[in-house]
Amino acid sequence: MALDILIVFLKAVFIVLTVLTFGAILTWVERKQSAVMQDRIGANRAQILGLRMIGLFHILSDAIKMFTKEEFTPERADKFIHMLAPMLSLFFALVTFTAIPFGNVLRLGGKEINLQVAGLNASVLFVFAIVSLGVYGVVLGGWASENNYSFLGGLRASAQMISYEVTIGVAIIGALLIYNTLDLQEMVRYQGHMYLGWIPRWGIVLQPLGFLLFLVAGIAETKRVPFDLPEGESEIVGYWVEYSSMRWGMYMFTDFIEMVLLAAMTTTLFLGGWQIPWLAADGFHFPWGMAIGLPHVVVALLQVGAFFLKVVFLLWFQMLIRWTLPRVRYDQLMRIGWRYLLPLSLANVVVTAAVLLLIG
Amino acid sequence: MRIPQSEKELTFWERIYFPEVFRGLAITAKHFVVNMIRHTLRLLGFKNVPKGAVTYQYPEEIRPISTRLRTMHRLARRADGSPRCVACMMCETVCPASCIYIVAGEHPDPNIEKVPIRFDIDLGKCIFCGYCVEACPEDAIRMDTGIYNFAAYTREGMVLTLEELLAHEPAPYVSVPTQDKAPDPGPLAKSQPVSAPASA
């Protein structure tokens, strides 16, 4: 029993540390990737003893700066809620990762360890429920600051997130109908099957439209460019205009963690999670007949690596979108959400259901 | 909200937005991949690969400046080291920022009427329009030192004095002879054409 608790604790520590590391490195990626895309060099001046490490020390200097800055609370703000709101945001973003399976069952010395912190049988619902709660951090922060701009940012955030949550929820129903389960781990297992013996049965193959809708609506959920109206830096600054130091940093971090969450959820739902094509429990079985046997631990580690590789690719893709597209207007945002994405996702559900009914 | 009408009629594929988004993403992704390959190859020692960035890392790498760039002023000298300026006040008069202050004095040579005993340029006021250079009948004041990174902690520190102006040398890119080689016969017998300071 004590061992079980220890294992769960270790898994939780592993996933929290991994996600926080991803979040920290993303602050560097955001600067460097944009620079490379725009033929620039990017931030590279932070150095320790003349060592620059292609700008990686900027993560450290950012952290030092944010922890040592003055924490300012406006005089008329609701002090308690003003303090609480960024923590809520960060908390809800981090908690969702408990349900993400980052690997298959690992057998170590007779113990079966499910590489998923909390093996809920309705983990999809859990993730979306918690993500929906994340809007409270933003709205409360915007409200408690007693500033019209942050209030407007909070309003925009709530309108935007609620609109796109509808699409997100409907976009995955097609996938859920096919997988016939609400358990993320089971979904990933389903995606390990093959069509005709060689096409991986990944969500993106079965639900290409669902994948696209989920990704677009998901990017809108992360409140980043091109859907960054709640925090439009060039116009209203948004819900975090009255925040400084690490409280602001927590909001910023939440954004990056939500990016990681979107990447992890997209991977799990549509890109086969930790599955590697043609890798079974005992090794590779290629469609042209070749087979490579691998020990269990190697297979498990490869699968964990594959999961994080897919997450990294999706993070790169999100950064690419963030540094390519300009911000949409508010009426465009609402039109995209309600008039295009939602009907398309509903049509996706109807067509998927009809096809499933026909082929039984 | 009024939605501005675009002049060009969009086609169907442009209106549904998605293909155009992917076209844009392809462009930026191409830049990313090409630049990453260039950065990596250069890091591995292939120095003839083009640079992955157009950045000049300023304090270490100085960006080449145009030979026509107007930079900090200087006063040309005669062969004996005295200022070529005859304190005619043309530059002071033409200066739109009123940043030049000249006090004229007697020149020991009877052929030369005047010489500045004080010549101050307040760089804090100067707008680098180059009118003083255009106005100078002696081609004495020039803006070709190539110095553009000056700063001071006080307003007084931004004032250039006669000595400083005379001490400045032209930037190495200047090809027009700017210092007199032989003793100057005086302003009336001036043979050197009045040219732009740094027409290389």
Side-chain angles (χ1 to χ4, degrees), chain A residues 18-260:
Chain A
T18 313
V19 169
L20 288 180
T21 311
F22 264 100
I25 290 179
L26 276 176
T27 63
W28 172 79
V29 171
E30 171 130 287
R31 287 174 178 150
K32 278 299 199 186
Q33 186 176 339
S34 63
V36 174
M37 279 166 64
Q38 297 167 357
D39 301 347
R40 296 184 287 111
I41 289 180
N44 64 351
R45 291 285 154 160
Q47 50 181 311
I48 294 177
L49 302 173
L51 194 66
R52 282 189 176 171
M53 294 273 292
I54 50 173
L56 275 170
F57 289 132
H58 277 269
I59 300 170
L60 204 63
S61 59
D62 275 348
I64 294 170
K65 182 196 81 175
M66 273 194 239
F67 276 111
T68 51
K69 260 176 94 165
E70 183 193 1
E71 257 187 41
F72 183 78
T73 312
E75 197 171 341
R76 291 177 57 210
D78 188 321
K79 303 275 186 304
F80 177 67
I81 296 179
H82 189 266
M83 183 199 67
L84 185 72
M87 295 185 196
L88 274 183
S89 255
L90 191 62
F91 172 76
F92 288 130
L94 277 174
V95 156
T96 44
F97 282 92
T98 50
I100 306 262
F102 54 93
N104 201 353
V105 174
L106 176 68
R107 280 189 302 277
L108 271 182
K111 257 290 188 228
E112 289 209 340
I113 304 166
N114 187 10
L115 291 184
Q116 182 186 18
V117 177
L120 304 168
N121 58 5
S123 29
V124 172
L125 296 184
F126 172 77
V127 170
F128 287 114
I130 299 292
V131 168
S132 311
L133 286 176
V135 75
Y136 279 107
V138 174
V139 174
L140 287 179
W143 191 292
S145 300
E146 278 287 337
N147 178 319
N148 287 342
Y149 292 107
S150 62
F151 180 57
L152 191 58
L155 280 184
R156 280 188 187 182
S158 51
Q160 175 178 332
M161 289 174 83
I162 288 167
S163 303
Y164 280 79
E165 246 152 42
V166 178
T167 306
I168 283 197
V170 181
I172 59 160
I173 287 182
L176 296 187
L177 285 173
I178 293 173
Y179 302 147
N180 205 11
T181 175
L182 286 175
D183 186 343
L184 287 169
Q185 187 69 285
E186 287 302 318
M187 287 183 194
V188 178
R189 296 229 169 83
Y190 180 92
Q191 293 178 68
H193 296 121
M194 299 285 163
Y195 276 123
L196 309 171
W198 63 278
I199 302 173
R201 209 180 277 188
W202 286 4
I204 189 169
V205 179
L206 304 163
Q207 287 278 315
L209 184 62
F211 167 74
L212 213 60
L213 293 168
F214 181 79
L215 198 61
V216 174
I219 290 170
E221 277 288 296
T222 60
K223 308 184 291 293
R224 283 171 63 78
V225 183
F227 302 106
D228 68 333
L229 292 119
E231 55 197 49
E233 290 142 342
S234 51
E235 37 160 332
I236 60 165
V237 185
Y239 58 88
W240 59 24
V241 67
E242 292 291 1
Y243 281 89
S244 58
S245 79
M246 202 54 210
R247 288 186 194 171
W248 176 85
M250 280 158 99
Y251 271 134
M252 194 73 203
F253 227 65
T254 308
D255 263 19
F256 286 123
I257 287 170
E258 278 177 349
M259 269 182 76
V260 182

Side-chain angles (χ1 to χ4, degrees), chain A residues 1-17 98 102 113-114 116-118:
Chain A
M1 187 59 205
L3 188 61
D4 288 339
I5 292 173
L6 181 71
I7 287 170
V8 170
F9 179 73
L10 285 180
K11 282 193 291 189
V13 168
F14 169 76
I15 203 74
V16 165
L17 287 184
T98 50
F102 54 93
I113 304 166
N114 187 10
Q116 182 186 18
V117 177

Side-chain angles (χ1 to χ4, degrees), chain B residues 10 20 27 34 37 40 52 54 63 75 78 90 118 122 128 143 146-147 158 161 174-175 194:
Chain B
L10 297 176
E20 292 294 303
I27 291 171
V34 169
I37 290 170
T40 315
V54 295
R63 187 178 161 189
L75 284 178
R78 292 173 204 277
M90 291 280 239
R118 223 180 130 185
D122 188 350
F128 290 85
M143 298 177 74
I147 304 168
M158 292 299 281
T161 60
V174 176
S175 60
V194 178

